[in-house]
Amino acid sequence: MKLYHFPLSGHAHRARLFLSLLDLPHEVIDVDLKTGENKTSEFLAMNPFGQVPVLEDDGVFIADSNAILVYLAKKSGRSEWLPEDALGAAAVQRWLTVAAGDIAFGPAAARLITVFGRPFNPEEVIARAHLVLSRIEQHLEGREWLVGDGPTIADIAQYSYIVGAPEGNVDLSGYPAVNALLRRIEALPGFMPFPQTAAGLRSIA
């Protein structure tokens, strides 16, 4: 397997983290977003949306970080990460949608301002971040994991942009259950930290 990746991307880290947790052999290929490598014809042939990550497996290309999580769980036969029953699968899908929506437009967007110089409204995206974090905090009351009794790809999908939220001036100190979830993920065998930066990049198109 090959993972086309950008080190500071939470989406890319999401995929790389899960590959590491599953202990699947893979090659990481960095894509230089700053120079527009993701807009070349070669990359667009793998993902017409021009986004990282992209997973290549036996000549097949899987784009989108959440799709990669689903693919890897299914391909490896690790149903503990993605339940086979209808209710469990639906519960995981709900949190993948949260990751692609509320997390992307809240904590991830706040980080895009400070790390990548994106022209979002800080007050608006930080408020969105706290709203979704408060909802996750409430959901975790009496729970250790988002779905069921163990970690699933639902937890992995939230991790990178939540742990990186302080880079976007989102304070996590008021969310003890969320922080406990982050620490549980970090204690899993094969965990790979999310690379954070104080300075960041400013000119990625």
Side-chain angles (χ1 to χ4, degrees):
M1 291 185 184
K2 296 179 181 179
L3 182 69
Y4 295 85
H5 164 276
F6 179 68
L8 297 182
S9 164
H11 288 78
H13 178 262
R14 189 181 285 166
R16 192 173 184 188
L17 170 59
F18 195 44
L19 281 163
S20 183
L21 292 172
L22 293 175
D23 195 24
L24 292 175
H26 62 281
E27 178 185 356
V28 175
I29 300 173
D30 285 343
V31 178
D32 191 345
L33 304 188
K34 189 175 182 181
T35 63
E37 193 175 352
N38 58 313
K39 304 299 184 182
T40 63
S41 58
E42 292 82 5
F43 189 87
L44 292 174
M46 295 186 290
N47 180 9
F49 287 87
Q51 299 166 335
V52 292
V54 175
L55 181 73
E56 180 182 356
D57 183 26
D58 290 332
V60 175
F61 296 96
I62 299 94
D64 181 82
S65 58
N66 287 339
I68 291 171
L69 297 184
V70 171
Y71 178 84
L72 291 173
K74 288 289 189 180
K75 180 73 184 283
S76 62
R78 299 287 297 275
S79 60
E80 72 271 28
W81 288 101
L82 178 57
E84 297 288 346
D85 66 286
L87 188 58
V92 167
Q93 179 57 57
R94 176 200 178 196
W95 288 106
L96 296 183
T97 301
V98 170
D102 298 71
I103 293 293
F105 294 109
R111 182 176 175 270
L112 285 173
I113 297 172
T114 57
V115 176
F116 297 99
R118 294 297 172 84
F120 299 137
N121 183 315
E123 291 184 2
E124 181 180 342
V125 296
I126 289 173
R128 285 183 196 154
H130 284 296
L131 179 59
V132 68
L133 288 167
S134 66
R135 288 172 173 167
I136 295 173
E137 181 76 15
Q138 184 178 18
H139 175 78
L140 286 170
E141 184 176 348
R143 301 171 179 263
E144 291 191 349
W145 305 98
L146 290 173
V147 177
D149 298 325
T152 66
I153 60 172
D155 304 290
I156 304 309
Q158 317 305 316
Y159 176 81
S160 304
Y161 282 123
I162 293 180
V163 80
E167 288 190 312
N169 297 314
V170 176
D171 184 5
L172 297 180
S173 63
Y175 305 101
V178 170
N179 279 287
L181 176 64
L182 299 179
R183 303 295 87 80
R184 289 186 193 100
I185 294 170
E186 290 162 2
L188 294 172
F191 171 77
M192 177 173 291
F194 179 36
Q196 299 185 25
T197 173
L201 303 178
R202 299 293 179 181
S203 58
I204 294 177

